[in-house]
Amino acid sequence: MSTSTPTPVRERRRQQTRAEILEAAWRLAERDGIAGLSLRELAGEVGMRAPSLYTYFDSKAAIYDAMFAQGYRELDAVDTDLELDPGDAVGTLERSLEAFVDFCCASVARFQLMFTAAVPGWEPSPEAYAASVASYERSVEGLARLGIEDPRHFDLLTGLYSGLASQQLANDPGGDRWRRLSREAAEMYVTHVTQGRRGA
Amino acid sequence: MSTSTPTPVRERRRQQTRAEILEAAWRLAERDGIAGLSLRELAGEVGMRAPSLYTYFDSKAAIYDAMFAQGYRELDAVDTDLELDPGDAVGTLERSLEAFVDFCCASVARFQLMFTAAVPGWEPSPEAYAASVASYERSVEGLARLGIEDPRHFDLLTGLYSGLASQQLANDPGGDRWRRLSREAAEMYVTHVTQGRRGA
DNA sequence: GTCTATAGGGTGATAGAC
DNA sequence: GTCTATCACCCTATAGAC
């Protein structure tokens, strides 16, 4: 009886410990770079020895996977908080760009894990990857409600998001040199996509 | 006499060996990620044992430094090859954007080393960093000749460069999904900066 | 569930023989 | 200049005692 399904309370404690481990993992990854995460030190941060981590995660890759999935849940939360006003595409995009730059700058390690191949030999599991695709598709829907449907226009916009964020992170961490261009970028972009003219 | 200044021929052989080592380093960094470079394996690639590398470079950081400087020399070569036509800002920017995306995609390792903090614990030496700043300033001059002088406009443009390149690398490596937006991005940008209107 | 001990690798760097 | 040998670490992961 006691060895079959775990009691809810036991399972909840387990999930809480997992959450503590992930929290410590983010802290260390922020300090040492996402690729510099060490299981020994991670264990130490939560008052364990390294082998005990394997009670909570199957491998280091599984920890990265959980962090990756968590990152996309957090990004979804940002997107959800954003009020989408179809009558004000520029303002909506401006706030969205700012929010994305803020999201990226809030955690370099998270940015590295989610958007760059910074961990040699690791890539997200199919499930984790599926979560990221689903997140991307929700963004597509949101932009469609702003009237942005041309795939080329959509890719151009993701370039702007990515460009402002990566420049901000790489060349003015802690500042707002590129973040403050969000309004101007949104105006430039919306003017472009609402002009009927076609590119060559 | 023989222990004072090295003869030119000796020095030339030494520089050639250094170049061979760097060439092998790029090959391995491409395969394993820039952060995954190992001195033992690097030595093996050029027919040495690891300690012999220290005859040519003071440390692993010095190797990264040399690679970093080499990357900026190569980027300068790309910029120099680009014919700058002040009468055709759109066309010039289009070719420049394509060239930059090509440059980044030609070597992921080089991109990681030059533009991201992908090597935990390493940052360029003051000299190497100065070379990168000089390269950046030559770009500023080039754009000034196209009539782009407003610092905000310049930053917006570096965001476009960075955005197209990073999206191309991260989400369509080997393809041209973002590279082919260079023309459209250049048109959008030039239209924006040549309109007299000010951003809010 | 957590521990110690350890397997079985890896790393950058240095000393000193040749 | 190159080597062998080695220092002094690092790592992920597993076995098995408690």
Side-chain angles (χ1 to χ4, degrees):
Chain A
M1 197 80 91
S2 63
T3 57
S4 58
T5 314
T7 63
V9 55
R10 230 184 257 283
E11 181 59 17
R12 265 188 37 207
R13 287 191 75 84
R14 187 186 148 82
Q15 291 305 326
Q16 194 186 332
T17 304
R18 279 177 59 103
E20 275 171 38
I21 292 169
L22 292 180
E23 203 177 324
W26 285 118
R27 201 163 50 242
L28 293 178
E30 214 61 53
R31 197 193 62 191
D32 301 330
I34 189 72
L37 184 66
S38 141
L39 295 190
R40 274 171 161 75
E41 197 169 16
L42 173 55
E45 284 284 305
V46 293
M48 289 179 185
R49 304 298 179 145
S52 303
L53 292 176
Y54 286 80
T55 306
Y56 299 96
F57 294 95
D58 286 343
S59 64
K60 191 184 188 183
I63 294 178
Y64 280 133
D65 243 52
M67 295 171 84
F68 182 86
Q70 195 178 343
Y72 275 97
R73 280 196 300 275
E74 288 161 357
L75 180 57
D76 281 342
V78 170
D79 282 347
T80 303
D81 282 358
L82 226 153
E83 279 165 40
L84 198 149
D85 179 357
D88 179 18
V90 169
T92 302
L93 282 183
E94 174 192 10
R95 285 180 291 112
S96 176
L97 279 164
E98 280 178 354
F100 185 69
V101 174
D102 288 342
F103 175 81
C104 293
C105 292
S107 167
V108 193
R110 189 175 59 183
F111 175 83
Q112 290 178 324
L113 184 65
M114 292 174 71
F115 305 123
T116 77
V119 182
W122 177 81
E123 51 183 35
S125 67
E127 302 80 48
Y129 181 71
S132 78
V133 171
S135 171
Y136 175 84
E137 281 169 1
R138 275 189 291 277
S139 302
V140 176
E141 288 166 26
L143 291 170
R145 273 186 280 157
L146 288 181
I148 299 161
E149 314 221 29
D150 181 342
R152 281 176 63 101
H153 285 164
F154 188 74
D155 287 346
L156 185 58
L157 185 58
T158 64
L160 271 175
Y161 277 92
S162 165
L164 292 192
S166 58
Q167 284 293 89
Q168 185 61 59
L169 265 169
N171 299 317
D172 185 37
D176 74 336
R177 184 167 154 194
W178 277 269
R179 188 196 119 105
R180 70 182 171 217
L181 302 178
S182 296
R183 177 79 195 182
E184 189 166 350
E187 287 172 350
M188 172 179 77
Y189 177 79
V190 169
T191 300
H192 175 74
V193 301
T194 54
Q195 272 176 345
R197 70 183 173 82
R198 306 221 65 78
Chain B
M1 198 75 95
S2 64
T3 55
S4 58
T5 313
T7 64
V9 54
R10 231 183 257 285
E11 180 59 16
R12 265 188 36 208
R13 286 192 73 86
R14 188 186 147 83
Q15 292 304 326
Q16 195 186 330
T17 304
R18 278 176 60 103
E20 276 172 38
I21 291 168
L22 292 179
E23 201 178 324
W26 284 118
R27 201 163 49 242
L28 292 177
E30 214 61 53
R31 196 194 61 191
D32 301 330
I34 188 71
L37 183 66
S38 142
L39 295 190
R40 277 173 163 76
E41 197 170 16
L42 173 55
E45 285 283 304
V46 294
M48 290 178 183
R49 303 297 180 152
S52 303
L53 292 175
Y54 286 81
T55 304
Y56 299 97
F57 295 95
D58 286 343
S59 64
K60 190 183 188 183
I63 295 178
Y64 280 133
D65 243 51
M67 296 171 82
F68 182 86
Q70 195 178 343
Y72 275 97
R73 281 196 299 277
E74 288 162 357
L75 180 57
D76 281 340
V78 170
D79 283 346
T80 303
D81 282 358
L82 225 152
E83 281 164 41
L84 199 148
D85 180 358
D88 180 19
V90 170
T92 302
L93 283 183
E94 174 193 9
R95 284 180 293 113
S96 176
L97 278 164
E98 281 178 354
F100 184 69
V101 174
D102 288 343
F103 175 81
C104 293
C105 292
S107 168
V108 192
R110 188 175 59 185
F111 175 83
Q112 290 178 323
L113 184 66
M114 292 173 71
F115 305 123
T116 78
V119 181
W122 176 80
E123 52 183 37
S125 66
E127 302 81 47
Y129 181 72
S132 78
V133 171
S135 170
Y136 175 84
E137 281 168 3
R138 275 189 291 277
S139 301
V140 176
E141 289 166 26
L143 291 170
R145 275 186 280 156
L146 288 180
I148 298 161
E149 315 220 31
D150 181 342
R152 281 177 62 99
H153 285 164
F154 188 75
D155 286 347
L156 186 57
L157 186 57
T158 65
L160 271 176
Y161 277 91
S162 165
L164 291 192
S166 60
Q167 285 291 89
Q168 185 62 59
L169 265 169
N171 298 317
D172 184 37
D176 75 335
R177 183 167 154 192
W178 277 269
R179 189 195 119 105
R180 71 182 171 217
L181 302 178
S182 296
R183 176 81 196 180
E184 188 166 351
E187 287 172 349
M188 172 180 77
Y189 177 78
V190 170
T191 299
H192 175 74
V193 301
T194 55
Q195 274 177 346
R197 69 183 175 81
R198 306 220 66 77

